[in-house]
Amino acid sequence: MRIAVFGGDGFIGWPTCLHLSNAGHDIVIVDNLSRRRIDTELGVQSLTPMDSIQERLRIWKEVTGRTIRFELLDIATDYFRVKRWIELYRPDALIHLAQQRAAPYSMKSDWHKTYTVNNNVSATHNLLNALADLEMDAHFVHMGTMGVYGYSDIGATIPEGYLNVGIPNDDGQVIQKEILYPANPGSVYHMTKCLDQLMFGYYAKNDSLRITDLHQGVVWGTHTEQTRLHDQLVNRFDYDGDYGTVLNRFLIQAAIGHPLTVHGTGGQTRAFIHIQDSVRCIELALKNPPTRGERPKIFNQMTETFRVRDLAKLIAEMSGAEIVNVPNPRNEASENDLRVANDQFLDLGLEPTTLKVGMLEEMVDVARKFAHRIDRSKIPAQSAWTSEIRSQISAGKDIDSFNGEA
Ligand code: USQ
C-alpha cells in the first residue's frame, strides 16, 4: 500500500512508519517537525538521543534496504500545498497523527489552548477537505483517544465508539438509535479529539469518506521490534511534566532515584497499551477498512486498565523507589473505575502485550543508560488546569483540599 503518515516523526508515528515499511508498504512521512520545536520551547529533550529525521531514514535504509521518504509540510496551515501533495502522491491510506498530543501542554496558557485547537482541528479538517474535494477513495486512519469518553464509571463497559439508546418519540414509542458515546473531554487537547469525531461523522456521511478512528489509551514502553534494530532508530522517550506519560515517567523516575509523582490520591484509573501493540493495531486497522458509505469505524485501542497508585506501588516494589503524593494540577476525578470494550482488535487477532515486571525492568535499564541526559527540574508537572488549582498549588495547600470530582 502507498501510505502517507502525517506526524511520522512523533512518538507513535516513528515506530509506526518503521513497522509498516518493514511489512513492505511504501511510506512517506509528512511532518512539520513541531514536536522537536516544542522540545526547544520547553527546554527539554527526549531521554533517548534522537537524530534528525533525515539521519534516521538514512540509517533505516542502511539497516533494511528500505526507503521511507520525508516531506516537510505543515498540514494545519498550508492547505493548498497539502492538497496538491495528496493529489500527486495518491495514497491508498493516510494515517493522521499530526496533532499536538499532550493534555498538560494544551493547558499551559491561553496561547497553548489556542495553538492546540487551531493546529489539531485545522490539521484534521484540511486532510478530510482535501480528500473530499479530490474525490479520492483513500482510507483515513486517525489516532484518537480514550479520553473522548471521559473516565467516569457508571457501572457499564465503555463500548467502541457508539452507544445504543432508546429515544421516546412524540407517539410514545421508543426509537432505538446508535449514537456517538457522549463526549466528555477532560482537557483542551481531549476536546479537539471530540471535535474530530464530529468532522469524521460529517465527511463519512456527506462525502462517503472511509474513516477509522482509534481511541487509544495511555501508551507505555518505548521500543518496538524495528526501533531495536539500531541505536539511531531509537524512539523518543519523554519524561517531562508535559509530555511524559504516567507509566513511562514513573519508570524514569525510579531509574534516577526520584520519588514517583502520584497526582493526588492516585485513584485515577486509565486504559493502557504498549507501543508495540499500538503499531500492530494501526496495521490491523489498515487491513480492515470500512466500506464507502459506512459510518466511521471506531476501535478502542487499549489492552489493560490500571489505577495510577497501583502502578506506582508495582514500580516502587520492583525498584525500591519512594512514592510521593503531589497536589494534582489537573481537574479530574480523584477516584474512578474504568471498564472498556476492546473486542474488535482481539477478534482481529491482537495478542496483547501485558504489563510484566521483566519488561518494566528492561525499561528502567534503558532509563539508567541515559540518566545523564535528564534535567530533574523538568520532572514536576506544572501545568494547572484552572487558575484556582494554580493558586492552591502555589499557596502550598494540602492535596486533599483539591481532590474533588471533575
Ligand atoms: N499522572 C500522575 N503522575 C504523573 C503523571 C500523570 O499521577 O507524574 C496521572 C494524571 O493525573 C492522569 C493519569 O496519570 O490521571 C494519566 O496521565 P498521562 O499524562 O499518562 O496521560 P494523559 O494526559 O491522559 O494523555 C496521554 C497522552 C494522550 C492520550 C491519552 C490517552 O499524552 O495523547 O490521548 O494519554 S487517555 O489517557 O486514555 O485519554
mmCIF file of all heavy atoms in Angstrom, residues 346-368:
data_model
loop_
_atom_site.group_PDB
_atom_site.id
_atom_site.type_symbol
_atom_site.label_atom_id
_atom_site.label_comp_id
_atom_site.label_asym_id
_atom_site.label_seq_id
_atom_site.Cartn_x
_atom_site.Cartn_y
_atom_site.Cartn_z
ATOM 1 N N LEU A 346 -9.155 -7.676 19.429
ATOM 2 C CA LEU A 346 -8.906 -9.062 19.867
ATOM 3 C C LEU A 346 -9.437 -10.025 18.806
ATOM 4 O O LEU A 346 -8.765 -10.994 18.446
ATOM 5 C CB LEU A 346 -9.555 -9.316 21.230
ATOM 6 C CG LEU A 346 -9.019 -8.465 22.398
ATOM 7 C CD1 LEU A 346 -9.762 -8.797 23.688
ATOM 8 C CD2 LEU A 346 -7.513 -8.661 22.594
ATOM 9 N N ASP A 347 -10.632 -9.719 18.264
ATOM 10 C CA ASP A 347 -11.205 -10.588 17.228
ATOM 11 C C ASP A 347 -10.361 -10.588 15.951
ATOM 12 O O ASP A 347 -10.356 -11.554 15.195
ATOM 13 C CB ASP A 347 -12.643 -10.151 16.877
ATOM 14 C CG ASP A 347 -13.597 -10.419 18.030
ATOM 15 O OD1 ASP A 347 -13.200 -11.134 18.978
ATOM 16 O OD2 ASP A 347 -14.729 -9.895 17.995
ATOM 17 N N LEU A 348 -9.655 -9.483 15.713
ATOM 18 C CA LEU A 348 -8.800 -9.408 14.510
ATOM 19 C C LEU A 348 -7.436 -10.050 14.754
ATOM 20 O O LEU A 348 -6.567 -10.030 13.892
ATOM 21 C CB LEU A 348 -8.612 -7.945 14.080
ATOM 22 C CG LEU A 348 -9.861 -7.245 13.521
ATOM 23 C CD1 LEU A 348 -9.580 -5.769 13.257
ATOM 24 C CD2 LEU A 348 -10.330 -7.913 12.235
ATOM 25 N N GLY A 349 -7.229 -10.569 15.972
ATOM 26 C CA GLY A 349 -6.012 -11.336 16.222
ATOM 27 C C GLY A 349 -4.964 -10.652 17.078
ATOM 28 O O GLY A 349 -3.849 -11.163 17.221
ATOM 29 N N LEU A 350 -5.281 -9.487 17.657
ATOM 30 C CA LEU A 350 -4.287 -8.830 18.522
ATOM 31 C C LEU A 350 -4.006 -9.698 19.749
ATOM 32 O O LEU A 350 -4.936 -10.120 20.435
ATOM 33 C CB LEU A 350 -4.790 -7.456 18.983
ATOM 34 C CG LEU A 350 -3.850 -6.739 19.952
ATOM 35 C CD1 LEU A 350 -2.587 -6.248 19.241
ATOM 36 C CD2 LEU A 350 -4.540 -5.585 20.658
ATOM 37 N N GLU A 351 -2.725 -9.968 19.990
ATOM 38 C CA GLU A 351 -2.345 -10.686 21.213
ATOM 39 C C GLU A 351 -1.682 -9.685 22.139
ATOM 40 O O GLU A 351 -0.535 -9.301 21.933
ATOM 41 C CB GLU A 351 -1.381 -11.828 20.880
ATOM 42 C CG GLU A 351 -2.077 -12.953 20.155
ATOM 43 C CD GLU A 351 -1.127 -14.008 19.632
ATOM 44 O OE1 GLU A 351 0.031 -14.059 20.085
ATOM 45 O OE2 GLU A 351 -1.554 -14.753 18.738
ATOM 46 N N PRO A 352 -2.406 -9.204 23.150
ATOM 47 C CA PRO A 352 -1.918 -8.088 23.952
ATOM 48 C C PRO A 352 -0.595 -8.355 24.676
ATOM 49 O O PRO A 352 -0.370 -9.443 25.201
ATOM 50 C CB PRO A 352 -3.030 -7.858 24.967
ATOM 51 C CG PRO A 352 -4.233 -8.458 24.361
ATOM 52 C CD PRO A 352 -3.761 -9.621 23.540
ATOM 53 N N THR A 353 0.261 -7.336 24.655
ATOM 54 C CA THR A 353 1.477 -7.337 25.453
ATOM 55 C C THR A 353 1.053 -6.835 26.830
ATOM 56 O O THR A 353 0.688 -5.677 26.968
ATOM 57 C CB THR A 353 2.483 -6.303 24.869
ATOM 58 O OG1 THR A 353 2.614 -6.552 23.487
ATOM 59 C CG2 THR A 353 3.817 -6.331 25.569
ATOM 60 N N THR A 354 1.059 -7.713 27.815
ATOM 61 C CA THR A 354 0.599 -7.253 29.128
ATOM 62 C C THR A 354 1.779 -6.774 29.961
ATOM 63 O O THR A 354 2.925 -7.135 29.705
ATOM 64 C CB THR A 354 -0.148 -8.367 29.873
ATOM 65 O OG1 THR A 354 0.654 -9.542 29.799
ATOM 66 C CG2 THR A 354 -1.504 -8.647 29.241
ATOM 67 N N LEU A 355 1.455 -5.928 30.923
ATOM 68 C CA LEU A 355 2.496 -5.328 31.758
ATOM 69 C C LEU A 355 3.141 -6.401 32.633
ATOM 70 O O LEU A 355 2.464 -7.041 33.432
ATOM 71 C CB LEU A 355 1.833 -4.251 32.614
ATOM 72 C CG LEU A 355 2.732 -3.254 33.295
ATOM 73 C CD1 LEU A 355 2.037 -1.916 33.318
ATOM 74 C CD2 LEU A 355 3.048 -3.687 34.683
ATOM 75 N N LYS A 356 4.426 -6.613 32.414
ATOM 76 C CA LYS A 356 5.144 -7.612 33.206
ATOM 77 C C LYS A 356 6.356 -6.957 33.830
ATOM 78 O O LYS A 356 6.993 -6.103 33.205
ATOM 79 C CB LYS A 356 5.624 -8.764 32.322
ATOM 80 C CG LYS A 356 4.510 -9.652 31.809
ATOM 81 C CD LYS A 356 5.065 -10.828 31.018
ATOM 82 C CE LYS A 356 4.010 -11.434 30.106
ATOM 83 N NZ LYS A 356 3.723 -10.643 28.908
ATOM 84 N N VAL A 357 6.679 -7.385 35.041
ATOM 85 C CA VAL A 357 7.793 -6.753 35.753
ATOM 86 C C VAL A 357 9.076 -6.821 34.922
ATOM 87 O O VAL A 357 9.843 -5.864 34.862
ATOM 88 C CB VAL A 357 7.956 -7.396 37.148
ATOM 89 C CG1 VAL A 357 9.242 -6.943 37.815
ATOM 90 C CG2 VAL A 357 6.756 -7.027 38.013
ATOM 91 N N GLY A 358 9.293 -7.941 34.198
ATOM 92 C CA GLY A 358 10.502 -8.088 33.383
ATOM 93 C C GLY A 358 10.646 -6.957 32.367
ATOM 94 O O GLY A 358 11.725 -6.405 32.181
ATOM 95 N N MET A 359 9.525 -6.598 31.731
ATOM 96 C CA MET A 359 9.577 -5.526 30.718
ATOM 97 C C MET A 359 9.836 -4.187 31.374
ATOM 98 O O MET A 359 10.521 -3.327 30.826
ATOM 99 C CB MET A 359 8.262 -5.458 29.959
ATOM 100 C CG MET A 359 8.027 -6.677 29.119
ATOM 101 S SD MET A 359 6.476 -6.556 28.282
ATOM 102 C CE MET A 359 6.909 -5.449 26.967
ATOM 103 N N LEU A 360 9.282 -4.017 32.575
ATOM 104 C CA LEU A 360 9.499 -2.743 33.273
ATOM 105 C C LEU A 360 10.963 -2.612 33.667
ATOM 106 O O LEU A 360 11.562 -1.539 33.550
ATOM 107 C CB LEU A 360 8.599 -2.648 34.511
ATOM 108 C CG LEU A 360 7.091 -2.689 34.238
ATOM 109 C CD1 LEU A 360 6.321 -2.603 35.539
ATOM 110 C CD2 LEU A 360 6.671 -1.549 33.316
ATOM 111 N N GLU A 361 11.545 -3.731 34.103
ATOM 112 C CA GLU A 361 12.965 -3.694 34.493
ATOM 113 C C GLU A 361 13.841 -3.323 33.299
ATOM 114 O O GLU A 361 14.785 -2.541 33.426
ATOM 115 C CB GLU A 361 13.382 -5.047 35.083
ATOM 116 C CG GLU A 361 12.955 -5.169 36.538
ATOM 117 C CD GLU A 361 13.027 -6.598 37.079
ATOM 118 O OE1 GLU A 361 13.223 -7.541 36.281
ATOM 119 O OE2 GLU A 361 12.865 -6.753 38.299
ATOM 120 N N GLU A 362 13.473 -3.862 32.133
ATOM 121 C CA GLU A 362 14.245 -3.552 30.916
ATOM 122 C C GLU A 362 14.187 -2.044 30.632
ATOM 123 O O GLU A 362 15.176 -1.414 30.273
ATOM 124 C CB GLU A 362 13.666 -4.333 29.729
ATOM 125 C CG GLU A 362 14.431 -4.172 28.446
ATOM 126 C CD GLU A 362 13.599 -4.534 27.212
ATOM 127 O OE1 GLU A 362 12.501 -3.983 27.036
ATOM 128 O OE2 GLU A 362 14.059 -5.361 26.436
ATOM 129 N N MET A 363 13.009 -1.452 30.862
ATOM 130 C CA MET A 363 12.878 -0.015 30.603
ATOM 131 C C MET A 363 13.644 0.820 31.617
ATOM 132 O O MET A 363 14.199 1.866 31.282
ATOM 133 C CB MET A 363 11.406 0.380 30.598
ATOM 134 C CG MET A 363 10.704 -0.104 29.349
ATOM 135 S SD MET A 363 8.967 0.214 29.433
ATOM 136 C CE MET A 363 8.953 1.991 29.419
ATOM 137 N N VAL A 364 13.661 0.347 32.856
ATOM 138 C CA VAL A 364 14.446 1.076 33.872
ATOM 139 C C VAL A 364 15.925 1.049 33.474
ATOM 140 O O VAL A 364 16.638 2.045 33.620
ATOM 141 C CB VAL A 364 14.210 0.485 35.284
ATOM 142 C CG1 VAL A 364 15.156 1.111 36.311
ATOM 143 C CG2 VAL A 364 12.770 0.707 35.722
ATOM 144 N N ASP A 365 16.358 -0.073 32.905
ATOM 145 C CA ASP A 365 17.756 -0.161 32.446
ATOM 146 C C ASP A 365 18.039 0.850 31.330
ATOM 147 O O ASP A 365 19.076 1.504 31.335
ATOM 148 C CB ASP A 365 18.078 -1.579 31.942
ATOM 149 C CG ASP A 365 18.146 -2.576 33.086
ATOM 150 O OD1 ASP A 365 18.278 -2.121 34.244
ATOM 151 O OD2 ASP A 365 18.047 -3.792 32.830
ATOM 152 N N VAL A 366 17.102 0.984 30.388
ATOM 153 C CA VAL A 366 17.271 1.984 29.304
ATOM 154 C C VAL A 366 17.368 3.373 29.932
ATOM 155 O O VAL A 366 18.232 4.186 29.582
ATOM 156 C CB VAL A 366 16.070 1.961 28.310
ATOM 157 C CG1 VAL A 366 16.183 3.077 27.278
ATOM 158 C CG2 VAL A 366 15.967 0.619 27.618
ATOM 159 N N ALA A 367 16.491 3.627 30.883
ATOM 160 C CA ALA A 367 16.478 4.944 31.521
ATOM 161 C C ALA A 367 17.794 5.208 32.250
ATOM 162 O O ALA A 367 18.323 6.317 32.214
ATOM 163 C CB ALA A 367 15.291 5.044 32.476
ATOM 164 N N ARG A 368 18.349 4.177 32.905
ATOM 165 C CA ARG A 368 19.620 4.354 33.629
ATOM 166 C C ARG A 368 20.744 4.688 32.646
ATOM 167 O O ARG A 368 21.600 5.514 32.922
ATOM 168 C CB ARG A 368 19.968 3.089 34.416
ATOM 169 C CG ARG A 368 19.111 2.952 35.640
ATOM 170 C CD ARG A 368 19.786 2.143 36.755
ATOM 171 N NE ARG A 368 18.881 2.092 37.907
ATOM 172 C CZ ARG A 368 18.161 1.028 38.243
ATOM 173 N NH1 ARG A 368 18.269 -0.100 37.570
ATOM 174 N NH2 ARG A 368 17.345 1.087 39.281
#
